[in-house]
Amino acid sequence: MWENIAIPKLSGERYSVTYRISGSEDEARARAIDITLEQTVEFPYELLPRGPIRDEVVGRIESFSRMENSRSEKDGAETTYEAKISFAMETAAGEITQLLNVVFGNISLKDGLRVERIDLCESLYNIFPGPRFGVSGLRGLLGIENRPILGTALKPMGLSSRDLSDLAYRFALGGIDIIKDDHGLTDQKFAPFEERVSLCADAVRKANKESGHKSIYTANVTAPFDELMRRARFAKDAGAGALMIAPGLTGFSAMKTLADDSGLGLPVFSHPAFLGASLNGASALSYFFALGQLQRLSGADAVIYPNYGGRFSISKEQCLEIARGAREPMGRIQSIFPFPGGGMSLEAVSEMHEMYGNDLIYLIGGGLFRRGDDLVENCKYFRSLIDKY
Amino acid sequence: MWENIAIPKLSGERYSVTYRISGSEDEARARAIDITLEQTVEFPYELLPRGPIRDEVVGRIESFSRMENSRSEKDGAETTYEAKISFAMETAAGEITQLLNVVFGNISLKDGLRVERIDLCESLYNIFPGPRFGVSGLRGLLGIENRPILGTALKPMGLSSRDLSDLAYRFALGGIDIIKDDHGLTDQKFAPFEERVSLCADAVRKANKESGHKSIYTANVTAPFDELMRRARFAKDAGAGALMIAPGLTGFSAMKTLADDSGLGLPVFSHPAFLGASLNGASALSYFFALGQLQRLSGADAVIYPNYGGRFSISKEQCLEIARGAREPMGRIQSIFPFPGGGMSLEAVSEMHEMYGNDLIYLIGGGLFRRGDDLVENCKYFRSLIDKY
């Protein structure tokens, strides 16, 4: 079958993915071998041509070990193993879409596997440089040296652009650093994109002039494929200080395109909408990978997620996993801000500070409205809680 | 707070989403109410302005019932409920990204919820017309009146463009109707996109001329955001007869853009890579919705997925659910082809026919290589199995 085929040449550079695999030791080993084929050649091993396709294009198990907290087989409970599998740099084709395909494309359809982490190789770090700003760049842009950063969202859906911009004005006067569209505000007729973004950017500029503080308005550019870049450029021109996108809805590559576009040159905040279904269950991505490493690879400067104790199903440990994924050294890719929210209250600030430290963006939405009718005062109170740090 | 705000005007048209909710009856009811807020205003109900935002923008529970197979609470086991929740047409902003956000954006981060199905309203059917070809259009294009359709994939990764095109030539000579790139072939240096697509399209054209049969070559255009449309146009110009894309990697909106582009005017086949993690677990999309309805909404003419009994974790019932989602009446949106594959063998053909009937595309890859060295003969044998129907 394969007598006269061309022999592929490979650089020898490899990146690796660590998987958690459920099952007995024999099952887990068989599944690790399956990953090496399924994610690359997708072909019966014994029918593959001999040479570099078998030896280098097929994934390679670099390590395989039983996980420490795994229950014993004698108990009848399922054990878990950790396999680190390396792939030839060339399999990713220099594309974030194809990199994700190798990491978890087909095997997302197989139970009992979880992507724990990725470790890139030198030349992939060149292709995936990560966020434009990161923690230090965003601090520089906002002029905030060391304290935690404050964020809030414009809502509820149904308000007019004018009324949303009035909220934005009051948030900015109250000293909120990042004022973002709620992620459900896109281009509804109540508050069409261009009108809303122009008015909100203007309102924040006006408040900044009055207060001397530097707030930035963040436009949600989550949008259909053929509309997204146009909205991002409009937002930039209108004076938005940052962009928000939900890569679970648009694909991670759209976020990377925003981050890489030097004509835009704006910070990018990632929203987790629609990603939740990938984080739990029989086949899954770890919080560390999905909301930490992958966000950085795809250019986010901050990752929004629900904090524990709010309205969402997430534990303190999972939140800390996200923060580790956002901050842990990762080649030359900068660390980024955790941006937890989701039903947070003003009362949660000190506990969150203890947990996350100063390199954090607090996202408080509805909670700001609960304290009383004077929104500017509520924001100033929120600021006073942060200014101690 | 809300004294002088503008009052939004709504059309009254609503679409609805059916959710399966775990928990006791009280819990499930509370969670249904939570969905109505979380997916729209994302704001404490008691703080919302009175009027249309409360009454129409917030989702509305249309029905709530215990699911028949739900175990009884007396057993201590979890019960499940089904809630049909309607949303104002305006919340979707006419965008597939925002429609998905309303359906499952934030609540994907909450456990114990599954999206079962969607039912659109009249004006959303105008915005989401579905596939360009569908079952009847694709049959017309291929000139296949009634029999099942045959598909295979070009692989393994690592082969040169020339060697892949040689496979394509033999598959076409053997009478395979749809010859597609393996979904892992994007733009690797072994077989760069433009070279591969040109050679494979040429090879299939040459074989068609010799055999009189009409095979089409399908180019995989799963690619980074800023590259995808360029590749699609290149493929069209090079003579590809269809396009394949993995919306789990690119976002569903990219697929819809391909399908809607009249300059392309090619059938679109959807690959399930990376979608698997959303199909199981504590928060999930049903197979019916994710691989059936959503694919049609996003313009796919056929949906590729692993058949049961192959290498993947999927049951016969789940496969039938996908087929129902692909075929069941859905407003004016056409039915599409199930395109099951994933470790299928030639021996599986008759069982699959019994299960799915004639409106099916069989995807057999590695299985075609197992029967012997003469690939053309193997394909002809595959055709002979189908030609009976």
Side-chain angles (χ1 to χ4, degrees):
Chain A
M1 181 74 73
W2 306 119
E3 288 78 28
N4 299 308
I5 61 163
I7 307 298
K9 287 194 187 83
L10 291 100
S11 65
E13 254 197 284
R14 300 179 78 82
Y15 60 100
S16 64
V17 185
T18 304
Y19 298 95
R20 195 185 69 175
I21 308 177
S22 307
S24 69
E25 181 166 351
D26 286 351
E27 285 163 358
R29 266 191 206 282
R31 305 196 66 187
I33 293 169
D34 176 69
I35 292 171
T36 65
L37 294 163
E38 190 70 56
Q39 299 307 93
T40 55
V41 291
E42 231 192 298
F43 209 78
Y45 184 76
E46 66 280 11
L47 297 179
L48 286 173
R50 287 171 198 283
I53 294 183
R54 275 195 188 198
D55 303 337
E56 298 189 66
V57 176
V58 170
R60 188 182 293 156
I61 300 172
E62 301 288 349
S63 66
F64 179 88
S65 58
R66 176 140 162 195
M67 289 185 72
E68 272 199 26
N69 294 322
S70 185
R71 287 164 295 176
S72 113
E73 283 176 73
K74 283 185 201 145
D75 300 341
E78 214 167 37
T79 48
T80 55
Y81 292 82
E82 198 169 80
K84 184 171 180 176
I85 297 180
S86 72
F87 299 100
M89 181 269 283
E90 290 82 357
T91 59
E95 301 164 348
I96 187 80
T97 37
Q98 172 60 10
L99 179 72
L100 283 176
N101 184 42
V102 175
V103 169
F104 205 51
N106 267 6
I107 55 169
S108 74
L109 292 146
K110 300 189 177 190
D111 286 353
L113 293 176
R114 195 170 80 168
V115 176
E116 296 294 314
R117 64 176 292 126
I118 191 169
D119 290 279
L120 295 187
C121 52
E122 194 56 23
S123 45
L124 288 186
Y125 280 121
N126 290 332
I127 297 168
F128 303 114
R132 180 179 294 271
F133 293 89
V135 168
S136 63
L138 192 58
R139 286 199 173 282
L141 186 89
L142 291 167
I144 299 172
E145 215 166 303
N146 191 45
R147 68 163 168 86
I149 295 174
L150 303 192
T152 192
L154 299 169
K155 50 185 173 180
M157 185 194 290
L159 289 187
S160 68
S161 301
R162 175 71 58 194
D163 293 325
L164 289 164
S165 73
D166 181 52
L167 287 180
Y169 175 74
R170 289 188 278 167
F171 286 142
L173 270 192
I176 306 288
D177 304 304
I178 296 174
I179 297 156
K180 70 173 197 66
D181 286 336
D182 198 27
H183 80 286
L185 302 183
T186 61
D187 190 33
Q188 285 87 357
K189 60 174 236 182
F190 323 124
F193 181 82
E194 297 193 359
E195 179 190 89
R196 178 182 82 246
V197 168
S198 301
L199 289 175
C200 290
D202 284 351
V204 171
R205 200 159 29 214
K206 179 164 172 260
N208 284 346
K209 209 173 273 177
E210 293 172 27
S211 70
H213 178 66
K214 179 168 185 183
S215 297
I216 59 172
Y217 165 64
T218 300
N220 177 29
V221 298
T222 306
F225 181 86
D226 49 354
E227 174 70 12
L228 200 153
M229 286 309 286
R230 209 193 55 72
R231 289 203 195 156
R233 294 203 178 94
F234 183 91
K236 158 90 176 182
D237 292 343
L243 304 171
M244 183 174 75
I245 184 170
L249 297 167
T250 64
F252 279 90
S253 177
M255 182 160 79
K256 184 175 189 305
T257 301
L258 289 180
D260 290 351
D261 191 305
S262 53
L264 290 171
L266 291 177
V268 174
F269 305 143
S270 171
H271 190 281
F274 216 76
L275 284 181
S278 306
L279 296 170
N280 292 294
S283 76
L285 306 170
S286 71
Y287 286 79
F288 177 86
F289 174 75
L291 295 176
Q293 288 190 309
L294 177 54
Q295 304 287 341
R296 289 160 80 183
L297 269 179
S298 311
D301 297 290
V303 57
I304 297 167
Y305 61 93
N307 203 32
Y308 79 101
R311 313 187 297 270
F312 292 87
S313 314
I314 189 168
S315 68
K316 184 170 181 178
E317 179 44 47
Q318 288 164 335
C319 289
L320 288 169
E321 224 190 90
I322 296 169
R324 278 199 302 276
R327 294 164 171 176
E328 191 175 273
M330 190 181 176
R332 71 191 70 158
I333 296 181
Q334 298 178 84
S335 63
I336 64 174
F337 278 101
F339 196 161
M344 288 292 94
S345 65
L346 292 167
E347 291 70 35
V349 169
S350 75
E351 190 184 339
M352 286 173 74
H353 184 262
E354 205 167 301
M355 177 172 164
Y356 292 108
N358 269 20
D359 283 340
L360 189 76
I361 308 176
Y362 287 85
L363 173 55
I364 303 200
L368 280 178
F369 290 80
R370 287 195 189 277
R371 212 179 153 258
D373 256 11
D374 189 336
L375 206 53
V376 178
E377 273 313 306
N378 298 351
C379 295
K380 285 184 175 165
Y381 176 72
F382 185 13
R383 249 315 272 284
S384 75
L385 296 177
I386 301 291
D387 279 345
K388 330 190 263 204
Y389 300 119
Chain B
M1 180 75 72
W2 305 119
E3 289 78 26
N4 299 307
I5 61 162
I7 307 298
K9 287 194 188 82
L10 290 100
S11 65
E13 255 198 284
R14 301 178 76 82
Y15 59 100
S16 64
V17 185
T18 304
Y19 298 95
R20 195 185 68 176
I21 309 178
S22 307
S24 69
E25 182 167 351
D26 286 352
E27 285 163 358
R29 266 191 205 282
R31 305 195 67 188
I33 293 169
D34 176 69
I35 292 172
T36 66
L37 295 164
E38 190 70 56
Q39 298 307 93
T40 55
V41 293
E42 230 193 297
F43 209 78
Y45 184 76
E46 67 279 12
L47 297 179
L48 285 174
R50 286 173 199 282
I53 294 183
R54 274 194 189 197
D55 302 337
E56 297 189 67
V57 176
V58 170
R60 188 182 293 155
I61 300 172
E62 302 288 349
S63 68
F64 179 87
S65 58
R66 176 141 160 194
M67 288 186 74
E68 272 198 25
N69 294 322
S70 185
R71 287 165 291 177
S72 112
E73 284 177 72
K74 284 186 198 142
D75 301 341
E78 213 167 37
T79 48
T80 54
Y81 292 81
E82 197 167 83
K84 185 171 179 175
I85 297 180
S86 74
F87 300 100
M89 180 271 282
E90 289 82 358
T91 59
E95 301 165 347
I96 187 81
T97 37
Q98 172 60 9
L99 180 71
L100 283 177
N101 183 43
V102 175
V103 170
F104 206 51
N106 266 8
I107 55 170
S108 74
L109 293 146
K110 299 188 177 191
D111 286 353
L113 293 175
R114 195 170 80 168
V115 176
E116 295 295 313
R117 64 176 290 127
I118 190 167
D119 290 280
L120 294 188
C121 53
E122 194 55 25
S123 46
L124 288 185
Y125 280 120
N126 290 331
I127 296 168
F128 303 114
R132 178 178 296 271
F133 293 88
V135 167
S136 63
L138 192 58
R139 284 198 174 283
L141 185 89
L142 291 168
I144 300 171
E145 214 166 303
N146 192 44
R147 68 165 168 85
I149 296 173
L150 303 191
T152 193
L154 299 169
K155 51 187 174 181
M157 184 194 289
L159 288 187
S160 67
S161 302
R162 175 69 58 193
D163 293 324
L164 290 164
S165 73
D166 181 52
L167 288 179
Y169 175 73
R170 290 188 275 168
F171 287 141
L173 269 193
I176 306 288
D177 304 304
I178 296 174
I179 297 156
K180 70 171 198 67
D181 287 336
D182 197 29
H183 79 287
L185 302 184
T186 60
D187 191 32
Q188 285 86 359
K189 60 173 236 182
F190 322 125
F193 181 82
E194 296 193 358
E195 178 190 271
R196 178 182 81 247
V197 168
S198 301
L199 289 175
C200 290
D202 284 352
V204 170
R205 200 160 28 216
K206 178 164 173 261
N208 284 346
K209 208 173 275 177
E210 293 172 25
S211 69
H213 178 67
K214 181 170 183 181
S215 297
I216 59 172
Y217 164 64
T218 301
N220 176 29
V221 298
T222 306
F225 181 86
D226 50 354
E227 175 71 9
L228 200 153
M229 286 309 287
R230 208 193 56 71
R231 288 202 196 156
R233 295 204 178 92
F234 183 90
K236 158 90 176 180
D237 293 343
L243 304 172
M244 183 175 75
I245 184 170
L249 296 168
T250 64
F252 279 90
S253 177
M255 184 160 79
K256 186 175 188 305
T257 302
L258 289 180
D260 290 351
D261 190 306
S262 53
L264 290 171
L266 292 178
V268 174
F269 305 143
S270 171
H271 190 282
F274 216 76
L275 284 181
S278 305
L279 296 170
N280 292 295
S283 77
L285 306 170
S286 72
Y287 286 79
F288 177 87
F289 174 75
L291 295 176
Q293 289 190 309
L294 177 54
Q295 304 288 340
R296 288 160 80 184
L297 270 179
S298 312
D301 297 290
V303 56
I304 298 167
Y305 61 93
N307 204 31
Y308 79 101
R311 313 188 295 269
F312 293 87
S313 314
I314 189 168
S315 68
K316 185 171 181 179
E317 179 44 47
Q318 287 163 335
C319 290
L320 287 170
E321 222 191 271
I322 296 169
R324 278 198 302 276
R327 294 163 172 177
E328 191 174 274
M330 189 181 177
R332 70 193 70 158
I333 296 182
Q334 298 179 85
S335 62
I336 64 174
F337 279 101
F339 197 161
M344 287 293 93
S345 66
L346 292 167
E347 291 70 35
V349 169
S350 75
E351 190 184 338
M352 286 172 74
H353 184 261
E354 206 166 302
M355 175 172 166
Y356 292 107
N358 269 21
D359 282 341
L360 189 76
I361 309 176
Y362 288 85
L363 174 55
I364 302 200
L368 279 177
F369 289 80
R370 287 193 189 279
R371 212 181 153 257
D373 256 11
D374 189 336
L375 206 51
V376 178
E377 274 313 306
N378 297 352
C379 295
K380 286 184 176 166
Y381 176 71
F382 184 12
R383 251 312 274 282
S384 75
L385 296 177
I386 301 290
D387 279 345
K388 333 188 259 203
Y389 300 118

